Amino acid sequence: MISLQGTLTVYNPQTRLTMFESGPENSTGSVVFIGGLMDGYHALPYLPLLGKAISDQLGFSLIQVMLSSSHMGYGISSLQEDVRELDVLFSFLRNQKAKTRLFIVGHSTGCQDAISYLIHGQHRSAILGIVLQGPVSDREFMASSTDMYDEYLHLAQRMINEGKGQELMVREVDVAPVTAYRFKSLASAGGDDDMFSSDIPVETMRALFSQVKVPLMMVHSGRDEYIPAHVDKKLLVSKFDAACPTSLGSAVLPAADHAISDLPSQAKLCEVVLHFMQRVLTQVEQFETLQQQSFHGLSL
């Protein structure tokens, strides 16, 4: 059994937020993993295998990041706050850890964070590529699994209209404390978190994803329990592909659940991520070579 051993480091002294780095810490290349709602360190079963794969094959380290929204904090946070905290992380990685080759792997709602960062992050130009594992619709899942969905959504909207968007909703709304703003963001059509719903028009998706300027790969689970039964998964995957101008394709793991719990699917995920990273790194090296050749040509 593979285990993750590494170093816990404070990357944000003001808030005491930490990161956990496993693998070759002196490497200039790292994959930053951003978890989903309620996730913390070592939340996904595939992380040890992924960490070993990128270390052995590419010499990259794996960095898991703790945000204010981690664990039970997601209900009182936002994608905008996550982006601000990720800015501090990537500044630390670039300036203090001398990282020059950075990738992001987002899981579940961490996919919204990854997209948001590639659009709004101060250090987005330093990110070479992103992998979205398990991009799903919080809105569609909540609507299909919560009897009080409409009532809660109306309550959230009423509180926002009354200027109480940052106040907490009633306790029974969620397992975690949740503000009216964050509930609407997750649960309403067009909310800040509503990026992967099956009923979003391709044109709307394209307007969002066209702002991402780096190569992108989506990894979907064939047995994802957070996608409602009425959603056509094949059609959804094709819609995502059509909406992402920088997409290098999508991978579907037929036997995998949302967290990719089974070992064969974990191994396949690692293959997909490695192949994606190798393609991107090759493109970067070719571009840098052309730049050097052009510079030498001008010098002559």
Side-chain angles (χ1 to χ4, degrees):
M1 181 178 180
I2 302 172
S3 62
L4 282 174
Q5 297 183 355
T7 302
L8 189 68
T9 304
V10 174
Y11 73 85
N12 190 334
Q14 283 71 42
T15 58
R16 305 301 295 171
L17 288 170
T18 59
M19 55 170 248
F20 181 83
E21 184 173 17
S22 54
E25 296 179 24
N26 60 348
S27 171
T28 58
S30 295
V31 171
V32 175
F33 175 80
I34 306 174
L37 302 187
M38 299 187 72
D39 288 339
Y41 290 137
H42 312 321
L44 277 296
Y46 61 75
L47 288 174
L49 199 62
L50 178 62
K52 186 176 189 308
I54 62 174
S55 174
D56 292 350
Q57 299 297 318
L58 299 174
F60 273 59
S61 69
L62 176 66
I63 294 174
Q64 300 177 55
V65 58
M66 188 69 68
L67 302 171
S68 295
S69 61
S70 299
H71 295 300
M72 300 287 276
Y74 63 88
I76 55 175
S77 190
S78 65
L79 294 179
Q80 294 82 1
E81 180 61 25
D82 288 347
V83 168
R84 287 190 287 269
E85 292 178 357
L86 288 169
D87 272 332
V88 178
L89 171 72
F90 284 114
S91 176
F92 177 82
L93 293 178
R94 297 180 73 189
N95 299 323
Q96 304 299 320
K97 301 283 286 182
K99 304 288 187 182
T100 58
R101 298 176 298 162
L102 292 163
F103 288 80
I104 293 176
V105 172
H107 163 73
S108 196
T109 310
C111 295
Q112 283 99 295
D113 276 332
I115 292 295
S116 296
Y117 196 80
L118 266 295
I119 295 174
H120 303 292
Q122 293 179 4
H123 299 276
R124 59 187 181 274
S125 62
I127 311 301
L128 300 183
I130 61 173
V131 177
L132 306 181
Q133 185 271 304
V136 297
S137 169
D138 293 288
R139 167 167 66 88
E140 289 182 328
F141 175 73
M142 293 167 74
S144 65
S145 62
T146 305
D147 293 337
M148 298 289 289
Y149 169 79
D150 290 330
E151 289 81 353
Y152 292 155
L153 193 55
H154 291 152
L155 173 60
Q157 186 61 62
R158 185 169 71 249
M159 292 176 64
I160 291 170
N161 293 344
E162 295 172 353
K164 300 177 180 178
Q166 294 304 317
E167 293 190 17
L168 296 178
M169 297 180 68
V170 293
R171 186 66 183 87
E172 58 267 23
V173 168
D174 200 358
V175 295
V178 60
T179 65
Y181 158 77
R182 191 62 197 265
F183 186 85
K184 185 182 178 184
S185 178
L186 290 164
S188 68
D192 291 341
D193 283 271
D194 191 28
M195 299 181 187
F196 304 108
S197 297
S198 63
D199 58 357
I200 299 176
V202 172
E203 294 76 15
T204 303
M205 283 187 176
R206 187 177 291 118
L208 174 70
F209 294 132
S210 63
Q211 299 178 72
V212 176
K213 304 302 183 183
V214 302
L216 179 150
M217 184 81 186
M218 290 192 182
V219 182
H220 306 276
S221 296
R223 297 181 179 178
D224 197 316
E225 65 272 26
Y226 289 94
I227 298 179
H230 71 270
V231 174
D232 186 328
K233 294 180 182 179
K234 291 183 179 179
L235 181 61
L236 184 60
V237 171
S238 64
K239 179 184 283 191
F240 286 149
D241 285 338
C244 300
T246 60
S247 174
L248 296 187
S250 292
V252 178
L253 309 179
D257 60 10
H258 187 61
I260 311 185
S261 302
D262 66 297
L263 285 175
S265 296
Q266 292 177 23
K268 181 61 178 177
L269 169 69
C270 292
E271 291 178 14
V272 169
V273 173
L274 282 173
H275 181 65
F276 170 78
M277 292 178 63
Q278 288 166 340
R279 286 181 65 184
V280 173
L281 290 170
T282 298
Q283 291 175 359
V284 170
E285 290 170 1
Q286 291 173 344
F287 178 73
E288 290 175 345
T289 299
L290 287 174
Q291 281 190 316
Q292 291 174 357
Q293 291 174 346
S294 298
F295 177 76
H296 290 315
L298 290 172
S299 298
L300 292 175

